[in-house]
Amino acid sequence: MRGFYWICIVVIMASVTRFLIPLNAMDTAWDFGHAYTVLRGDGGIAYNDYLHNTPDYFYGLVITPIAALSSSIYVPKIFYSLLLSLLAIVLFIRKEEYRLSIGIILLLLSNYIILTHRPEIFTILIGCIAYPYVLIGNKINWKIAIPVGVILFLI
Protein backbone atom coordinates (compact mmCIF):
# COMPACT_ATOMS: atom_id res chain seq x y z
CA MET A 1 0.00 0.00 0.00
CA ARG A 2 2.99 2.29 0.61
CA GLY A 3 3.87 2.20 -3.11
CA PHE A 4 0.36 3.36 -3.97
CA TYR A 5 0.80 6.47 -1.83
CA TRP A 6 4.07 7.30 -3.60
CA ILE A 7 2.35 6.96 -6.97
CA CYS A 8 -0.41 9.32 -5.81
CA ILE A 9 2.12 11.84 -4.50
CA VAL A 10 4.16 11.77 -7.72
CA VAL A 11 1.06 12.11 -9.92
CA ILE A 12 -0.34 14.99 -7.84
CA MET A 13 3.01 16.82 -7.79
CA ALA A 14 3.50 16.33 -11.53
CA SER A 15 -0.05 17.49 -12.30
CA VAL A 16 0.19 20.57 -10.07
CA THR A 17 3.55 21.47 -11.60
CA ARG A 18 2.14 21.04 -15.08
CA PHE A 19 -0.95 23.17 -14.44
CA LEU A 20 1.11 25.98 -12.89
CA ILE A 21 3.16 26.35 -16.06
CA PRO A 22 1.44 28.61 -18.62
CA LEU A 23 0.51 27.32 -22.03
CA ASN A 24 3.36 27.14 -24.49
CA ALA A 25 1.42 28.79 -27.30
CA MET A 26 4.07 28.25 -29.98
CA ASP A 27 4.46 24.49 -29.62
CA THR A 28 0.81 23.87 -28.80
CA ALA A 29 -0.30 25.69 -31.93
CA TRP A 30 2.40 23.96 -33.95
CA ASP A 31 1.24 20.48 -32.92
CA PHE A 32 -2.49 21.00 -32.52
CA GLY A 33 -2.64 23.26 -35.61
CA HIS A 34 -2.10 20.16 -37.73
CA ALA A 35 -4.76 18.24 -35.78
CA TYR A 36 -7.37 21.01 -36.22
CA THR A 37 -6.53 21.34 -39.93
CA VAL A 38 -7.14 17.60 -40.35
CA LEU A 39 -10.49 17.92 -38.55
CA ARG A 40 -11.60 20.84 -40.72
CA GLY A 41 -10.41 19.11 -43.90
CA ASP A 42 -9.15 22.44 -45.30
CA GLY A 43 -5.74 21.62 -46.73
CA GLY A 44 -5.67 17.86 -46.75
CA ILE A 45 -4.34 15.40 -44.22
CA ALA A 46 -0.70 16.51 -44.48
CA TYR A 47 -1.19 20.28 -44.20
CA ASN A 48 -0.97 22.56 -41.17
CA ASP A 49 -2.74 25.94 -41.34
CA TYR A 50 -0.58 27.29 -38.54
CA LEU A 51 2.66 26.53 -40.42
CA HIS A 52 1.19 27.16 -43.89
CA ASN A 53 2.91 24.02 -45.15
CA THR A 54 3.20 20.32 -44.38
CA PRO A 55 4.45 19.27 -40.95
CA ASP A 56 7.51 17.06 -40.72
CA TYR A 57 6.02 14.50 -38.37
CA PHE A 58 3.12 12.15 -37.72
CA TYR A 59 2.29 13.56 -34.27
CA GLY A 60 -0.47 15.89 -35.51
CA LEU A 61 -2.41 12.89 -36.78
CA VAL A 62 -1.86 10.99 -33.52
CA ILE A 63 -3.41 13.80 -31.45
CA THR A 64 -6.30 14.49 -33.83
CA PRO A 65 -8.77 12.45 -31.71
CA ILE A 66 -7.86 14.65 -28.71
CA ALA A 67 -8.39 17.80 -30.78
CA ALA A 68 -11.78 16.44 -31.87
CA LEU A 69 -13.00 16.64 -28.27
CA SER A 70 -12.96 20.44 -28.20
CA SER A 71 -11.39 23.49 -29.80
CA SER A 72 -10.69 25.02 -26.39
CA ILE A 73 -7.11 25.99 -25.62
CA TYR A 74 -7.36 23.93 -22.43
CA VAL A 75 -7.76 20.59 -24.22
CA PRO A 76 -4.03 20.49 -25.14
CA LYS A 77 -3.11 21.52 -21.58
CA ILE A 78 -5.23 18.72 -20.11
CA PHE A 79 -3.83 16.26 -22.68
CA TYR A 80 -0.22 17.10 -21.85
CA SER A 81 -0.97 17.05 -18.11
CA LEU A 82 -2.46 13.57 -18.42
CA LEU A 83 0.53 12.42 -20.47
CA LEU A 84 2.87 13.77 -17.82
CA SER A 85 0.91 12.00 -15.08
CA LEU A 86 0.93 8.76 -17.05
CA LEU A 87 4.69 9.10 -17.58
CA ALA A 88 5.14 9.57 -13.82
CA ILE A 89 3.14 6.39 -13.14
CA VAL A 90 5.02 4.35 -15.77
CA LEU A 91 8.39 5.55 -14.48
CA PHE A 92 7.38 4.75 -10.90
CA ILE A 93 6.15 1.28 -11.81
CA ARG A 94 9.36 0.57 -13.74
CA LYS A 95 11.70 2.31 -11.28
CA GLU A 96 13.26 -0.98 -10.16
CA GLU A 97 13.94 -1.93 -13.76
CA TYR A 98 15.35 1.49 -14.66
CA ARG A 99 17.06 2.01 -11.27
CA LEU A 100 15.26 5.32 -10.76
CA SER A 101 14.37 7.03 -7.51
CA ILE A 102 11.44 9.37 -6.89
CA GLY A 103 13.86 12.34 -6.99
CA ILE A 104 15.21 11.41 -10.42
CA ILE A 105 11.67 10.80 -11.70
CA LEU A 106 10.63 14.29 -10.53
CA LEU A 107 13.75 15.79 -12.13
CA LEU A 108 12.89 14.09 -15.42
CA LEU A 109 9.32 15.37 -15.22
CA SER A 110 10.47 18.93 -14.57
CA ASN A 111 12.81 18.95 -17.58
CA TYR A 112 12.24 21.99 -19.81
CA ILE A 113 11.84 19.97 -23.02
CA ILE A 114 9.24 17.69 -21.45
CA LEU A 115 7.28 20.69 -20.16
CA THR A 116 7.01 22.57 -23.47
CA HIS A 117 3.99 20.80 -25.01
CA ARG A 118 6.08 18.95 -27.56
CA PRO A 119 5.87 15.37 -28.88
CA GLU A 120 8.96 14.31 -26.88
CA ILE A 121 6.88 13.40 -23.82
CA PHE A 122 4.69 11.18 -26.00
CA THR A 123 7.67 9.40 -27.56
CA ILE A 124 9.35 8.94 -24.16
CA LEU A 125 6.14 7.43 -22.79
CA ILE A 126 5.74 5.04 -25.75
CA GLY A 127 9.42 4.11 -25.44
CA CYS A 128 9.08 3.37 -21.72
CA ILE A 129 6.00 1.22 -22.32
CA ALA A 130 7.59 -0.64 -25.28
CA TYR A 131 11.03 -1.17 -23.68
CA PRO A 132 10.30 -4.46 -21.84
CA TYR A 133 8.77 -5.94 -25.00
CA VAL A 134 11.61 -4.83 -27.28
CA LEU A 135 14.43 -6.15 -25.07
CA ILE A 136 13.73 -9.58 -23.63
CA GLY A 137 16.59 -11.27 -21.81
CA ASN A 138 19.23 -8.96 -23.35
CA LYS A 139 18.04 -9.90 -26.85
CA ILE A 140 16.20 -7.61 -29.24
CA ASN A 141 12.72 -8.74 -30.26
CA TRP A 142 12.89 -7.46 -33.84
CA LYS A 143 9.21 -8.18 -34.57
CA ILE A 144 8.29 -5.48 -32.05
CA ALA A 145 11.42 -3.29 -32.23
CA ILE A 146 11.11 -2.42 -35.93
CA PRO A 147 7.44 -1.29 -35.90
CA VAL A 148 7.89 0.62 -32.62
CA GLY A 149 11.06 2.25 -33.98
CA VAL A 150 9.31 3.32 -37.19
CA ILE A 151 6.34 4.74 -35.30
CA LEU A 152 8.59 6.67 -32.90
CA PHE A 153 10.63 7.94 -35.85
CA LEU A 154 7.50 9.18 -37.64
CA ILE A 155 6.17 10.88 -34.51
Side-chain angles (χ1 to χ4, degrees):
M1 196 66 177
R2 194 174 80 177
F4 176 74
Y5 292 126
W6 276 111
I7 291 173
C8 290
I9 290 169
V10 169
V11 169
I12 289 168
M13 288 176 67
S15 297
V16 167
T17 303
R18 189 70 185 129
F19 278 110
L20 291 177
I21 294 172
L23 282 172
N24 183 343
M26 176 73 172
D27 289 334
T28 303
W30 188 289
D31 296 328
F32 274 82
H34 184 202
Y36 290 128
T37 302
V38 169
L39 289 174
R40 284 194 309 269
D42 293 346
I45 199 164
Y47 187 76
N48 186 342
D49 282 338
Y50 179 77
L51 300 175
H52 300 294
N53 70 17
T54 57
D56 298 334
Y57 47 80
F58 186 61
Y59 186 60
L61 297 177
V62 171
I63 60 177
T64 298
I66 305 300
L69 295 175
S70 172
S71 60
S72 168
I73 62 168
Y74 295 105
V75 170
K77 190 166 186 69
I78 292 168
F79 171 70
Y80 286 114
S81 298
L82 290 175
L83 271 183
L84 190 65
S85 299
L86 186 58
L87 180 60
I89 291 170
V90 168
L91 287 175
F92 183 79
I93 290 170
R94 302 264 169 89
K95 74 179 174 121
E96 297 301 323
E97 187 175 327
Y98 297 145
R99 305 289 189 257
L100 296 175
S101 69
I102 296 296
I104 293 174
I105 291 171
L106 291 176
L107 282 173
L108 282 171
L109 297 177
S110 63
N111 181 291
Y112 175 75
I113 296 298
I114 290 176
L115 295 175
T116 54
H117 293 192
R118 295 173 53 91
E120 283 86 350
I121 185 174
F122 187 77
T123 55
I124 290 169
L125 183 60
I126 298 299
C128 287
I129 291 171
Y131 175 76
Y133 304 106
V134 171
L135 291 173
I136 300 174
N138 291 332
K139 292 188 178 189
I140 298 173
N141 183 356
W142 291 105
K143 292 177 185 175
I144 295 176
I146 291 174
V148 167
V150 169
I151 290 168
L152 290 178
F153 172 76
L154 291 173
I155 292 174

